[in-house]
Amino acid sequence: MNRLFHLPLSPFSRKIRIVLGEKKVSGVDLVEERPWERRMDFLLLSPAGQVPVLQLNGTTLSDSTAIFEYLEETIPEPRLLPRDPAQRAEARRLAAWFDIKFQREVTENLLQERVNKKLMKSGYPDGARIRAGSANIKYHLDYMGWLLERRHWLAGEALTIADISAAAHLSCLDYINDVDWGRNAAVKDWYARIKSRPSFRPLLNDTVPGFTVPSHYANLDF
Amino acid sequence: MNRLFHLPLSPFSRKIRIVLGEKKVSGVDLVEERPWERRMDFLLLSPAGQVPVLQLNGTTLSDSTAIFEYLEETIPEPRLLPRDPAQRAEARRLAAWFDIKFQREVTENLLQERVNKKLMKSGYPDGARIRAGSANIKYHLDYMGWLLERRHWLAGEALTIADISAAAHLSCLDYINDVDWGRNAAVKDWYARIKSRPSFRPLLNDTVPGFTVPSHYANLDF
């Protein structure tokens, strides 16, 4: 049985769902897993105790970057990394930018405080962290805008894992209305293009009880 | 000119130095860069403001994972990832384990507090973080021991980027005497094997002013 253990508002889970959609891998059941419950059967699959975990044709994979590279190697088309090694490095650099730097400076401050603490019943949001996340996202949107004024997609002229990683984070933050789409027209245009992809649409139908999505969230025209 | 912008006690810089050594890339000048000084010429090379940055044959690369994958693709021998996709995923999962999870739970708590704060003149070590790092490293050494009692190297029967990433972190922590080599015999044996590799020896000769290395640090027999 093919399964993806995921969380609806985990950017790393969303990244893999989009990759599976782009590569037209069907028949993967989504299983919601709350890693903080530390379910023993899940920890045996994922020693790091994190989502996503993908079980595909008998192979169990964890760490979203390792999962992505596996899918790119075993299902090469459509390519989500360019052919040229230096351009591949650029796509990987930017994917890591969102998975590590943006995650730390923005996503953790906003999503962890506003959503995960409530789901985990682990206290009230920390206002200082929310303010830090809200301040930091501006610099990241500006950097994305700078790139997108020079390139059609974040890492060059084709959609790559960099766009998917960035959009996975932004879509989670958009769910809690933490993205100022008015800040940069090139970023808004880029996100509209991502949002309209068939691989992306299912994510926008996810709901998390207790959190109301803003009206623009699933709209292609936002 | 081929250059690696690095810091002597940055695990990510050490990882790339070992990879360059394993792949016998010579003629790369080491340039020490203190990212916290935010030198403009450096930020133009590395928008994330982090070491390592590699300039090789006219290409500028940043993010240690992107740099590694570039080197693996352009200089395939000797391989630092297995051929089989599932085994490649295992090596990448473990490399990410050290680069993200170990970095956050151990390296940052110990190295940041004991070394970087002193170099950056940004205050005194935070005892709570040092205690957290010292407690966390035990679980990681135990997990490495569990793997190494079943496999010759961390990700399987051959040396991979997982070993290099792990050894890069541990060597920085060993410099400040924060690794209990008595905890697990399999881990100690593994580290002795890594230490004896020609790619690893140059790292052990680095010194950082103001920090005295423990007597066993550069010894192959420790």
Side-chain angles (χ1 to χ4, degrees), chain B residues 132-146:
Chain B
S134 302
N136 292 339
I137 194 174
K138 294 177 186 169
Y139 300 102
H140 287 274
L141 291 174
D142 290 349
Y143 181 53
M144 292 177 73
W146 185 89

Side-chain angles (χ1 to χ4, degrees), chain B residues 80-98:
Chain B
L80 297 173
L81 286 173
R83 284 182 189 275
D84 173 68
Q87 288 178 29
R88 293 165 75 84
E90 177 68 354
R92 286 184 174 121
R93 171 184 82 82
L94 287 166
W97 179 292
F98 291 96

Side-chain angles (χ1 to χ4, degrees), chain A residues 151-198:
Chain A
R151 305 164 167 181
H152 192 57
W153 296 99
L154 283 172
E157 295 315 303
L159 174 91
T160 68
I161 188 64
D163 302 288
I164 292 172
S165 180
H169 280 271
L170 286 175
S171 70
C172 290
L173 296 171
D174 196 30
Y175 190 98
I176 51 175
N177 213 359
D178 267 330
V179 185
D180 172 10
W181 296 112
R183 190 166 177 91
N184 187 294
V187 174
K188 186 177 177 183
D189 172 71
W190 163 87
Y191 192 61
R193 278 183 277 139
I194 295 254
K195 250 182 159 176
S196 67
R197 298 180 80 86

Side-chain angles (χ1 to χ4, degrees), chain A residues 47-48 50 59 61-63 65-66 69-70 73-74 85-86 88-89 92-93 96-97 100-101 103-104 108 143, chain B residues 47-48 50 59 61-63 65-66 69-70 73-74 85-86 88-89 92-93 96-97 100-101 103-104 108 143:
Chain A
Q50 288 168 338
T59 300
L61 303 153
S62 59
D63 178 73
T65 300
E69 296 280 355
Y70 176 88
E73 288 172 355
T74 56
R88 294 165 75 83
R92 287 184 173 120
R93 172 183 82 81
W97 179 291
I100 299 173
K101 189 175 172 67
Q103 159 74 10
R104 176 151 225 175
E108 279 184 10
Y143 182 52
Chain B
Q50 288 168 339
T59 300
L61 303 153
S62 59
D63 179 74
T65 300
E69 296 280 354
Y70 176 89
E73 289 172 354
T74 56
R88 293 165 75 84
R92 286 184 174 121
R93 171 184 82 82
W97 179 292
I100 299 173
K101 189 174 172 66
Q103 159 75 10
R104 173 152 226 173
E108 279 183 9
Y143 181 53

Side-chain angles (χ1 to χ4, degrees), chain A residues 6-10 14 17 30 32 34 115 119 171-172 175-176 200-214 217-218:
Chain A
H6 84 121
L7 266 181
L9 289 185
S10 145
R14 289 187 167 210
R17 289 169 69 189
L30 290 178
E32 191 170 328
R34 297 182 162 203
V115 178
L119 295 177
S171 70
C172 290
Y175 190 98
I176 51 175
F200 205 78
R201 301 294 303 155
L203 279 62
L204 299 178
N205 296 325
D206 282 358
T207 53
V208 181
F211 297 89
T212 314
V213 291
Y217 172 73

